[in-house]
Amino acid sequence: MKILLTGANGYIGKRLLHALIKEDYEVVCCVRKRKTFNHPLKDHAAVSVIEVDFLDVSSLSKIPNDIDGAFYLMHSMSGGNKKFEDTEAQIAENFVEAMAPTSVKHVVYLGGIANDEHLSKHLSSRLKTEEIIQQGEYHFTAFRAGIILGSGSASFEIMRDLVEKLPVMVAPKWLKTESQPIAVRNVLEILSRGMLNEQVFDQVYDIGGEEIMTYKQMLLRFAKVRKLKRWIYTVPVLTPRLSSYWLYFVTSTSYSLASSLVDSMSVSVVCKPNDLMKALSIDLIPFDEAIERAFTRIKQNHVVSSWKDSGAERSFYSDYDDLIEVPEFGCFKDEKSIAIKDVDKVQSNIWALGGDTGWYYGNWLWKLRGYLDKLIGGVGLRRGRTNPVEIFNGDSLDFWRVLVADKANKRLLLYAEMKLPGEAWLEFKIDKDQKLYQTATFRPHGLFGRLYWLAVLPFHYFVFNGMIRGISK
Protein backbone atom coordinates (compact mmCIF):
# COMPACT_ATOMS: atom_id res chain seq x y z
CA MET A 1 0.00 0.00 0.00
CA LYS A 2 1.33 3.44 -0.96
CA ILE A 3 0.68 6.40 1.33
CA LEU A 4 1.13 10.11 0.57
CA LEU A 5 2.50 11.98 3.60
CA THR A 6 2.03 15.73 3.39
CA GLY A 7 3.75 17.86 6.00
CA ALA A 8 6.53 15.26 6.12
CA ASN A 9 8.96 17.85 7.49
CA GLY A 10 6.57 18.86 10.27
CA TYR A 11 6.50 17.91 13.93
CA ILE A 12 3.96 15.08 13.50
CA GLY A 13 4.97 14.15 9.95
CA LYS A 14 8.58 13.33 10.84
CA ARG A 15 7.47 11.02 13.64
CA LEU A 16 4.62 9.45 11.71
CA LEU A 17 7.02 8.28 9.00
CA HIS A 18 8.63 5.87 11.49
CA ALA A 19 5.22 4.44 12.41
CA LEU A 20 4.16 4.00 8.77
CA ILE A 21 7.35 2.13 7.87
CA LYS A 22 6.73 -0.19 10.83
CA GLU A 23 3.27 -0.86 9.36
CA ASP A 24 4.98 -1.88 6.06
CA TYR A 25 3.59 1.00 4.03
CA GLU A 26 5.37 2.50 1.05
CA VAL A 27 5.50 6.24 1.81
CA VAL A 28 5.75 9.22 -0.54
CA CYS A 29 6.92 12.25 1.47
CA CYS A 30 5.86 15.72 0.32
CA VAL A 31 8.31 18.51 1.22
CA ARG A 32 8.83 22.01 -0.12
CA LYS A 33 12.60 21.63 -0.26
CA ARG A 34 14.34 18.26 -0.43
CA LYS A 35 17.50 19.83 1.04
CA THR A 36 15.72 20.46 4.35
CA PHE A 37 14.43 16.88 4.68
CA ASN A 38 17.03 15.16 6.85
CA HIS A 39 15.00 12.27 8.19
CA PRO A 40 16.91 9.09 9.20
CA LEU A 41 14.59 7.12 6.90
CA LYS A 42 14.94 9.34 3.83
CA ASP A 43 17.05 6.70 2.04
CA HIS A 44 14.87 3.76 3.12
CA ALA A 45 13.77 1.51 0.26
CA ALA A 46 10.09 2.14 1.08
CA VAL A 47 10.47 5.95 1.20
CA SER A 48 10.46 8.40 -1.69
CA VAL A 49 10.65 12.18 -1.45
CA ILE A 50 9.03 14.69 -3.80
CA GLU A 51 9.19 18.49 -3.81
CA VAL A 52 5.62 19.76 -3.70
CA ASP A 53 4.27 23.17 -2.72
CA PHE A 54 0.48 23.06 -2.40
CA LEU A 55 0.32 26.77 -3.19
CA ASP A 56 2.09 26.09 -6.49
CA VAL A 57 -0.37 24.15 -8.64
CA SER A 58 2.30 23.34 -11.23
CA SER A 59 4.21 21.24 -8.65
CA LEU A 60 1.21 19.00 -7.86
CA SER A 61 1.78 16.89 -10.97
CA LYS A 62 4.68 15.23 -9.11
CA ILE A 63 2.20 13.41 -6.86
CA PRO A 64 1.96 9.78 -8.06
CA ASN A 65 -1.44 8.55 -9.21
CA ASP A 66 -1.18 5.09 -7.64
CA ILE A 67 -1.52 6.14 -4.00
CA ASP A 68 -3.93 4.28 -1.71
CA GLY A 69 -4.10 6.73 1.18
CA ALA A 70 -3.03 10.25 2.11
CA PHE A 71 -2.37 12.18 5.30
CA TYR A 72 -3.17 15.87 5.42
CA LEU A 73 -0.85 17.35 8.07
CA MET A 74 -0.37 20.89 6.80
CA HIS A 75 -1.11 23.62 9.34
CA SER A 76 0.04 27.12 10.14
CA MET A 77 0.41 28.44 13.69
CA SER A 78 2.94 31.16 13.01
CA GLY A 79 0.46 33.83 12.05
CA GLY A 80 3.21 35.41 9.95
CA ASN A 81 0.71 35.70 7.12
CA LYS A 82 -2.18 37.92 8.19
CA LYS A 83 -4.46 36.13 5.70
CA PHE A 84 -3.47 32.66 6.85
CA GLU A 85 -7.13 31.51 6.80
CA ASP A 86 -7.33 32.19 3.05
CA THR A 87 -3.94 30.57 2.54
CA GLU A 88 -4.92 27.42 4.43
CA ALA A 89 -8.21 27.23 2.51
CA GLN A 90 -6.36 27.56 -0.81
CA ILE A 91 -3.92 24.80 0.17
CA ALA A 92 -6.84 22.52 1.09
CA GLU A 93 -8.62 23.20 -2.20
CA ASN A 94 -5.44 22.48 -4.16
CA PHE A 95 -5.00 19.24 -2.21
CA VAL A 96 -8.51 18.06 -3.12
CA GLU A 97 -7.85 18.94 -6.76
CA ALA A 98 -4.53 17.07 -6.67
CA MET A 99 -6.23 13.94 -5.29
CA ALA A 100 -8.84 13.83 -8.09
CA PRO A 101 -6.69 12.04 -10.72
CA THR A 102 -5.23 9.59 -8.18
CA SER A 103 -6.53 6.24 -6.94
CA VAL A 104 -6.60 7.41 -3.30
CA LYS A 105 -9.20 5.58 -1.21
CA HIS A 106 -8.77 7.24 2.18
CA VAL A 107 -7.64 10.67 3.39
CA VAL A 108 -6.83 11.25 7.08
CA TYR A 109 -6.77 14.77 8.48
CA LEU A 110 -5.31 15.88 11.83
CA GLY A 111 -7.17 18.96 13.02
CA GLY A 112 -8.11 20.66 16.26
CA ILE A 113 -10.97 20.06 18.71
CA ALA A 114 -13.73 22.48 17.77
CA ASN A 115 -16.65 21.97 20.17
CA ASP A 116 -16.74 25.45 21.71
CA GLU A 117 -19.26 27.96 20.36
CA HIS A 118 -16.59 30.65 20.06
CA LEU A 119 -13.53 29.32 18.23
CA SER A 120 -10.19 31.04 17.78
CA LYS A 121 -9.08 32.08 14.30
CA HIS A 122 -6.76 29.08 14.03
CA LEU A 123 -9.33 26.55 15.21
CA SER A 124 -11.90 28.09 12.85
CA SER A 125 -9.39 27.82 10.01
CA ARG A 126 -8.72 24.16 10.81
CA LEU A 127 -12.43 23.44 10.86
CA LYS A 128 -12.83 25.14 7.49
CA THR A 129 -9.89 23.14 6.14
CA GLU A 130 -11.56 19.94 7.36
CA GLU A 131 -14.81 20.86 5.58
CA ILE A 132 -12.97 21.50 2.30
CA ILE A 133 -10.98 18.25 2.38
CA GLN A 134 -14.11 16.29 3.22
CA GLN A 135 -15.56 17.20 -0.21
CA GLY A 136 -13.16 14.97 -2.15
CA GLU A 137 -14.09 11.71 -3.88
CA TYR A 138 -12.61 9.41 -1.25
CA HIS A 139 -13.30 8.15 2.25
CA PHE A 140 -12.40 10.81 4.80
CA THR A 141 -11.52 10.69 8.49
CA ALA A 142 -10.78 13.65 10.76
CA PHE A 143 -8.97 13.25 14.05
CA ARG A 144 -9.28 16.41 16.15
CA ALA A 145 -6.63 16.88 18.85
CA GLY A 146 -6.02 19.49 21.53
CA ILE A 147 -2.75 19.74 23.47
CA ILE A 148 -0.17 17.20 22.22
CA LEU A 149 2.42 16.14 24.80
CA GLY A 150 5.81 15.06 23.52
CA SER A 151 9.44 16.12 23.40
CA GLY A 152 9.79 19.01 21.00
CA SER A 153 6.08 19.85 20.77
CA ALA A 154 5.20 23.54 21.17
CA SER A 155 2.86 22.80 24.09
CA PHE A 156 5.46 20.72 25.93
CA GLU A 157 8.31 23.19 25.40
CA ILE A 158 6.20 26.16 26.50
CA MET A 159 5.11 24.36 29.67
CA ARG A 160 8.74 23.40 30.28
CA ASP A 161 9.90 27.02 29.92
CA LEU A 162 7.21 28.30 32.29
CA VAL A 163 7.70 25.64 34.96
CA GLU A 164 11.49 25.56 34.96
CA LYS A 165 12.03 29.33 34.80
CA LEU A 166 9.28 30.73 37.05
CA PRO A 167 8.93 29.58 40.68
CA VAL A 168 5.99 31.98 41.01
CA MET A 169 3.66 32.82 38.13
CA VAL A 170 1.17 35.66 37.92
CA ALA A 171 -0.70 34.33 34.92
CA PRO A 172 -3.63 35.27 32.66
CA LYS A 173 -7.11 33.94 33.37
CA TRP A 174 -6.99 31.57 30.38
CA LEU A 175 -5.00 29.22 32.61
CA LYS A 176 -8.43 28.23 33.93
CA THR A 177 -9.51 26.97 30.47
CA GLU A 178 -10.06 23.21 30.27
CA SER A 179 -8.19 20.95 27.90
CA GLN A 180 -7.74 17.22 27.33
CA PRO A 181 -4.04 16.64 26.55
CA ILE A 182 -2.89 13.54 24.69
CA ALA A 183 0.55 11.92 24.38
CA VAL A 184 2.20 12.23 20.98
CA ARG A 185 2.73 8.45 20.89
CA ASN A 186 -1.03 7.93 21.11
CA VAL A 187 -1.58 10.44 18.30
CA LEU A 188 0.84 8.52 16.08
CA GLU A 189 -0.89 5.22 16.92
CA ILE A 190 -4.27 6.70 16.03
CA LEU A 191 -3.03 8.07 12.71
CA SER A 192 -1.13 4.96 11.61
CA ARG A 193 -3.80 2.46 12.71
CA GLY A 194 -6.61 4.62 11.37
CA MET A 195 -5.22 4.79 7.83
CA LEU A 196 -7.22 2.56 5.42
CA ASN A 197 -9.18 1.18 8.38
CA GLU A 198 -12.82 0.80 7.32
CA GLN A 199 -13.99 1.18 10.93
CA VAL A 200 -13.14 4.89 10.83
CA PHE A 201 -14.18 5.71 7.26
CA ASP A 202 -16.25 8.90 6.91
CA GLN A 203 -16.09 9.72 10.63
CA VAL A 204 -14.90 12.64 12.77
CA TYR A 205 -13.29 11.88 16.13
CA ASP A 206 -12.07 14.03 18.98
CA ILE A 207 -8.87 12.55 20.41
CA GLY A 208 -7.59 13.27 23.91
CA GLY A 209 -6.12 11.64 26.98
CA GLU A 210 -7.92 10.25 29.99
CA GLU A 211 -7.97 13.47 32.05
CA ILE A 212 -9.65 16.83 31.58
CA MET A 213 -7.39 19.49 33.09
CA THR A 214 -7.05 23.26 33.18
CA TYR A 215 -3.80 24.75 31.92
CA LYS A 216 -2.99 25.69 35.52
CA GLN A 217 -3.44 22.07 36.61
CA MET A 218 -1.21 20.91 33.75
CA LEU A 219 1.58 23.29 34.79
CA LEU A 220 1.38 22.18 38.42
CA ARG A 221 1.38 18.50 37.42
CA PHE A 222 4.34 19.16 35.12
CA ALA A 223 6.16 20.76 38.06
CA LYS A 224 5.34 17.78 40.27
CA VAL A 225 6.79 15.35 37.73
CA ARG A 226 9.95 17.51 37.62
CA LYS A 227 10.02 17.60 41.44
CA LEU A 228 9.66 21.39 41.50
CA LYS A 229 7.53 23.48 43.82
CA ARG A 230 5.60 26.15 41.94
CA TRP A 231 2.93 28.73 42.81
CA ILE A 232 0.50 30.07 40.19
CA TYR A 233 -1.88 32.98 40.64
CA THR A 234 -4.32 33.97 37.89
CA VAL A 235 -5.44 37.56 37.36
CA PRO A 236 -8.30 38.81 35.16
CA VAL A 237 -6.61 42.04 34.05
CA LEU A 238 -4.21 40.74 31.39
CA THR A 239 -5.56 41.46 27.91
CA PRO A 240 -4.89 39.01 25.04
CA ARG A 241 -2.10 41.32 23.83
CA LEU A 242 -0.46 41.48 27.27
CA SER A 243 -0.93 37.72 27.65
CA SER A 244 0.84 37.19 24.32
CA TYR A 245 3.76 39.37 25.44
CA TRP A 246 3.91 37.49 28.75
CA LEU A 247 4.15 34.15 26.94
CA TYR A 248 6.57 35.54 24.36
CA PHE A 249 9.11 36.95 26.83
CA VAL A 250 9.06 33.99 29.23
CA THR A 251 9.17 31.15 26.69
CA SER A 252 11.06 30.32 23.50
CA THR A 253 8.05 30.95 21.26
CA SER A 254 7.82 33.75 18.70
CA TYR A 255 5.34 36.57 19.27
CA SER A 256 3.14 35.51 16.35
CA LEU A 257 2.93 31.96 17.71
CA ALA A 258 2.35 33.25 21.25
CA SER A 259 -0.51 35.41 19.97
CA SER A 260 -2.05 32.45 18.15
CA LEU A 261 -1.72 30.21 21.20
CA VAL A 262 -3.30 32.76 23.54
CA ASP A 263 -6.16 33.12 21.08
CA SER A 264 -6.67 29.34 21.11
CA MET A 265 -6.06 28.83 24.85
CA SER A 266 -9.14 30.84 25.71
CA VAL A 267 -11.22 28.12 24.01
CA SER A 268 -12.15 24.92 25.83
CA VAL A 269 -10.78 21.87 23.99
CA VAL A 270 -12.56 18.90 25.56
CA CYS A 271 -13.43 15.77 23.59
CA LYS A 272 -16.87 14.47 22.74
CA PRO A 273 -17.09 10.81 23.88
CA ASN A 274 -16.36 8.11 21.28
CA ASP A 275 -15.18 4.48 21.09
CA LEU A 276 -12.12 5.15 18.89
CA MET A 277 -9.49 3.89 21.35
CA LYS A 278 -11.35 0.60 21.77
CA ALA A 279 -11.81 0.22 18.00
CA LEU A 280 -8.08 0.79 17.37
CA SER A 281 -6.90 -1.14 20.48
CA ILE A 282 -5.02 1.83 21.92
CA ASP A 283 -4.14 2.25 25.60
CA LEU A 284 -3.99 5.93 26.52
CA ILE A 285 -0.80 7.14 28.18
CA PRO A 286 -1.42 9.11 31.41
CA PHE A 287 -0.32 12.76 31.62
CA ASP A 288 2.52 12.17 34.09
CA GLU A 289 3.92 9.27 32.08
CA ALA A 290 3.77 11.32 28.85
CA ILE A 291 5.90 14.04 30.51
CA GLU A 292 8.37 11.47 31.86
CA ARG A 293 8.69 9.83 28.44
CA ALA A 294 9.35 13.22 26.84
CA PHE A 295 12.22 13.92 29.22
CA THR A 296 13.63 10.44 28.67
CA ARG A 297 13.80 11.21 24.94
CA ILE A 298 15.51 14.52 25.67
CA LYS A 299 18.11 12.91 27.94
CA GLN A 300 18.84 10.27 25.30
CA ASN A 301 19.10 12.92 22.53
CA HIS A 302 16.28 11.14 20.68
CA VAL A 303 14.10 14.16 19.91
CA VAL A 304 12.96 13.23 16.39
CA SER A 305 11.27 16.53 15.58
CA SER A 306 10.71 19.95 17.14
CA TRP A 307 8.20 22.71 16.49
CA LYS A 308 11.16 25.13 16.31
CA ASP A 309 12.48 23.35 13.22
CA SER A 310 9.21 22.40 11.56
CA GLY A 311 7.65 25.80 12.22
CA ALA A 312 9.89 27.83 9.96
CA GLU A 313 8.16 30.53 8.00
CA ARG A 314 7.14 29.71 4.45
CA SER A 315 9.40 32.54 3.18
CA PHE A 316 12.47 30.65 4.41
CA TYR A 317 11.65 27.69 2.17
CA SER A 318 10.70 29.94 -0.74
CA ASP A 319 14.00 31.82 -0.55
CA TYR A 320 16.17 28.85 0.43
CA ASP A 321 18.07 28.61 -2.84
CA ASP A 322 18.71 32.37 -2.80
CA LEU A 323 19.85 32.42 0.82
CA ILE A 324 22.25 29.52 0.38
CA GLU A 325 24.28 31.60 -2.09
CA VAL A 326 26.10 34.06 0.17
CA PRO A 327 26.28 37.42 -1.63
CA GLU A 328 29.65 38.91 -2.53
CA PHE A 329 28.81 42.48 -3.51
CA GLY A 330 27.37 45.29 -1.42
CA CYS A 331 28.27 43.45 1.78
CA PHE A 332 30.41 43.89 4.87
CA LYS A 333 32.54 40.87 5.79
CA ASP A 334 34.50 39.75 8.81
CA GLU A 335 36.88 36.99 7.71
CA LYS A 336 39.08 35.03 10.08
CA SER A 337 41.25 31.92 9.73
CA ILE A 338 43.36 29.85 12.08
CA ALA A 339 45.57 26.78 11.77
CA ILE A 340 44.22 23.70 13.57
CA LYS A 341 45.72 20.38 14.63
CA ASP A 342 42.77 18.09 15.35
CA VAL A 343 40.29 18.41 12.45
CA ASP A 344 37.72 15.99 13.89
CA LYS A 345 37.68 17.73 17.28
CA VAL A 346 37.31 21.18 15.73
CA GLN A 347 34.49 19.97 13.49
CA SER A 348 32.76 18.53 16.57
CA ASN A 349 33.11 21.93 18.24
CA ILE A 350 31.49 23.60 15.23
CA TRP A 351 28.63 21.09 15.21
CA ALA A 352 28.02 21.80 18.93
CA LEU A 353 27.62 25.58 18.52
CA GLY A 354 24.76 27.33 20.29
CA GLY A 355 22.26 25.92 22.76
CA ASP A 356 23.82 24.84 26.05
CA THR A 357 27.33 24.89 24.55
CA GLY A 358 27.13 28.55 23.64
CA TRP A 359 29.43 30.36 21.21
CA TYR A 360 32.85 29.72 22.77
CA TYR A 361 33.45 33.37 23.65
CA GLY A 362 31.47 36.24 25.13
CA ASN A 363 28.35 34.19 25.80
CA TRP A 364 26.96 37.02 27.92
CA LEU A 365 27.15 39.28 24.82
CA TRP A 366 25.28 36.69 22.76
CA LYS A 367 22.64 36.47 25.52
CA LEU A 368 22.36 40.25 25.66
CA ARG A 369 21.85 40.32 21.88
CA GLY A 370 19.16 37.67 22.32
CA TYR A 371 17.35 39.72 24.98
CA LEU A 372 17.50 42.83 22.80
CA ASP A 373 16.13 40.80 19.90
CA LYS A 374 13.20 39.66 22.05
CA LEU A 375 12.47 43.27 23.06
CA ILE A 376 11.98 44.28 19.42
CA GLY A 377 9.92 41.22 18.46
CA GLY A 378 12.65 38.80 17.35
CA VAL A 379 13.15 35.13 18.14
CA GLY A 380 15.92 35.63 20.74
CA LEU A 381 18.24 32.86 21.88
CA ARG A 382 15.70 30.71 23.72
CA ARG A 383 14.99 28.41 20.78
CA GLY A 384 18.32 26.73 21.46
CA ARG A 385 18.79 23.60 19.36
CA THR A 386 16.99 20.28 19.03
CA ASN A 387 20.03 18.01 19.42
CA PRO A 388 23.21 18.95 21.32
CA VAL A 389 25.63 17.34 18.84
CA GLU A 390 23.81 16.93 15.51
CA ILE A 391 22.44 19.63 13.22
CA PHE A 392 20.78 19.42 9.83
CA ASN A 393 19.71 21.71 7.01
CA GLY A 394 16.64 23.68 8.08
CA ASP A 395 17.22 23.34 11.85
CA SER A 396 16.91 26.33 14.16
CA LEU A 397 20.07 27.19 16.10
CA ASP A 398 19.42 29.93 18.67
CA PHE A 399 18.55 32.94 16.48
CA TRP A 400 20.08 31.36 13.36
CA ARG A 401 18.68 28.98 10.74
CA VAL A 402 20.93 26.22 9.40
CA LEU A 403 21.25 26.52 5.61
CA VAL A 404 24.07 24.02 5.08
CA ALA A 405 25.31 21.37 7.52
CA ASP A 406 27.70 19.40 5.32
CA LYS A 407 29.90 17.13 7.42
CA ALA A 408 31.58 15.53 4.42
CA ASN A 409 32.87 18.88 3.18
CA LYS A 410 33.28 20.25 6.72
CA ARG A 411 31.06 23.28 6.16
CA LEU A 412 28.37 24.93 8.26
CA LEU A 413 26.39 27.91 6.95
CA LEU A 414 23.93 29.81 9.15
CA TYR A 415 21.42 32.53 8.29
CA ALA A 416 20.32 35.09 10.90
CA GLU A 417 16.63 35.16 11.86
CA MET A 418 17.11 37.89 14.46
CA LYS A 419 15.73 41.38 13.82
CA LEU A 420 18.33 43.21 11.71
CA PRO A 421 18.49 46.19 9.33
CA GLY A 422 19.84 43.78 6.73
CA GLU A 423 20.70 40.13 6.19
CA ALA A 424 23.47 38.15 7.89
CA TRP A 425 25.27 34.86 7.27
CA LEU A 426 27.83 33.06 9.43
CA GLU A 427 29.98 30.39 7.81
CA PHE A 428 32.51 27.89 9.18
CA LYS A 429 34.67 25.77 6.91
CA ILE A 430 37.69 23.55 7.43
CA ASP A 431 39.89 23.42 4.34
CA LYS A 432 42.31 20.72 3.19
CA ASP A 433 45.21 22.84 4.45
CA GLN A 434 43.96 22.16 8.01
CA LYS A 435 42.79 25.70 8.49
CA LEU A 436 39.50 26.82 9.98
CA TYR A 437 37.86 29.67 8.07
CA GLN A 438 35.16 31.74 9.78
CA THR A 439 33.26 34.35 7.74
CA ALA A 440 30.51 36.71 8.88
CA THR A 441 28.69 38.41 6.00
CA PHE A 442 26.24 41.31 6.41
CA ARG A 443 24.20 42.79 3.57
CA PRO A 444 22.84 46.13 4.90
CA HIS A 445 19.45 47.54 4.04
CA GLY A 446 19.97 51.24 3.47
CA LEU A 447 21.87 53.76 5.56
CA PHE A 448 20.62 52.40 8.89
CA GLY A 449 22.02 48.98 8.02
CA ARG A 450 25.45 50.48 7.37
CA LEU A 451 25.36 52.46 10.61
CA TYR A 452 24.35 49.29 12.48
CA TRP A 453 27.40 47.40 11.18
CA LEU A 454 29.74 50.23 12.16
CA ALA A 455 28.17 50.40 15.63
CA VAL A 456 28.68 46.70 16.38
CA LEU A 457 32.14 46.51 14.78
CA PRO A 458 34.03 46.87 18.10
CA PHE A 459 31.99 43.97 19.60
CA HIS A 460 32.60 41.86 16.50
CA TYR A 461 36.35 42.30 16.90
CA PHE A 462 36.37 40.65 20.29
CA VAL A 463 33.52 38.15 19.74
CA PHE A 464 34.61 36.78 16.37
CA ASN A 465 38.30 36.59 17.33
CA GLY A 466 37.44 34.87 20.59
CA MET A 467 34.98 32.52 18.90
CA ILE A 468 37.41 31.16 16.28
CA ARG A 469 40.08 30.67 18.93
CA GLY A 470 37.61 28.87 21.19
CA ILE A 471 36.40 26.59 18.38
CA SER A 472 39.95 25.73 17.33
CA LYS A 473 40.97 24.48 20.80
Side-chain angles (χ1 to χ4, degrees), residues 38-333:
N38 297 286
H39 200 284
L41 295 175
K42 66 178 181 179
D43 297 320
H44 192 282
V47 175
S48 57
V49 183
I50 57 175
E51 286 191 351
V52 174
D53 184 342
F54 280 88
L55 282 175
D56 179 6
V57 177
S58 63
S59 72
L60 304 183
S61 60
K62 298 176 185 177
I63 297 173
N65 289 332
D66 60 340
I67 57 174
D68 300 287
F71 285 100
Y72 190 100
L73 302 177
M74 295 178 286
H75 298 303
S76 171
M77 279 296 289
S78 67
N81 180 357
K82 293 182 179 179
K83 296 183 178 179
F84 74 93
E85 302 106 314
D86 296 335
T87 301
E88 288 200 331
Q90 186 62 60
I91 290 172
E93 290 169 2
N94 290 346
F95 172 84
V96 173
E97 185 178 336
M99 293 299 101
T102 72
S103 57
V104 65
K105 302 179 184 68
H106 189 203
V107 170
V108 173
Y109 171 66
L110 180 62
I113 295 175
N115 298 326
D116 200 296
E117 291 183 6
H118 305 286
L119 298 177
S120 67
K121 290 182 179 180
H122 279 87
L123 287 176
S124 295
S125 180
R126 291 192 177 188
L127 185 59
K128 183 179 179 181
T129 297
E130 178 185 307
E131 292 168 351
I132 294 172
I133 302 171
Q134 200 169 9
Q135 297 171 5
E137 297 296 323
Y138 38 69
H139 293 292
F140 173 78
T141 304
F143 296 119
R144 299 175 177 175
I147 297 293
I148 296 178
L149 301 172
S151 57
S153 78
S155 303
F156 173 86
E157 295 298 340
I158 287 171
M159 283 194 287
R160 182 184 178 187
D161 279 343
L162 292 173
V163 168
E164 294 187 351
K165 293 174 182 176
L166 300 177
V168 179
M169 292 180 230
V170 179
K173 61 182 179 180
W174 47 255
L175 255 68
K176 296 180 180 179
T177 304
E178 289 186 327
S179 182
Q180 201 164 342
I182 183 170
V184 66
R185 180 173 295 191
N186 286 146
V187 174
L188 299 176
E189 288 174 334
I190 291 166
L191 292 171
S192 58
R193 296 183 191 182
M195 173 54 69
L196 295 171
N197 187 328
E198 294 183 4
Q199 294 181 85
V200 302
F201 279 4
D202 307 312
Q203 300 291 326
V204 175
Y205 297 96
D206 292 343
I207 58 174
E210 295 175 330
E211 298 180 78
I212 298 173
M213 311 165 68
T214 65
Y215 291 107
K216 179 178 178 178
Q217 288 171 329
M218 277 190 276
L219 289 171
L220 291 174
R221 285 278 290 279
F222 193 109
K224 186 178 179 180
V225 173
R226 298 294 289 156
K227 296 180 172 57
L228 298 169
K229 191 69 176 176
R230 294 295 183 259
W231 291 266
I232 303 175
Y233 304 96
T234 55
V235 293
V237 294
L238 289 182
T239 64
R241 180 181 289 273
L242 287 175
S243 295
S244 300
Y245 279 119
W246 177 79
L247 203 61
Y248 166 63
F249 281 114
V250 175
T251 71
S252 58
T253 184
S254 64
Y255 178 76
S256 59
L257 178 56
S259 180
S260 301
L261 288 171
V262 167
D263 192 26
S264 297
M265 284 174 174
S266 62
V267 179
S268 175
V269 280
V270 176
C271 301
K272 290 181 178 179
N274 58 64
D275 60 354
L276 178 66
M277 304 307 163
K278 183 179 179 181
L280 299 182
S281 301
I282 292 173
D283 295 322
L284 289 171
I285 298 170
F287 179 89
D288 292 5
E289 185 179 339
I291 300 301
E292 289 170 350
R293 288 190 182 203
F295 275 101
T296 298
R297 302 287 288 184
I298 292 169
K299 289 175 183 176
Q300 295 174 344
N301 295 330
H302 286 166
V303 181
V304 177
S305 60
S306 170
W307 72 273
K308 293 175 288 187
D309 302 327
S310 61
E313 298 290 345
R314 174 182 153 76
S315 60
F316 165 73
Y317 293 105
S318 300
D319 302 338
Y320 185 88
D321 292 329
D322 295 331
L323 295 175
I324 207 169
E325 295 295 331
V326 182
E328 292 292 332
F329 303 104
C331 298
F332 295 109
K333 286 183 180 286

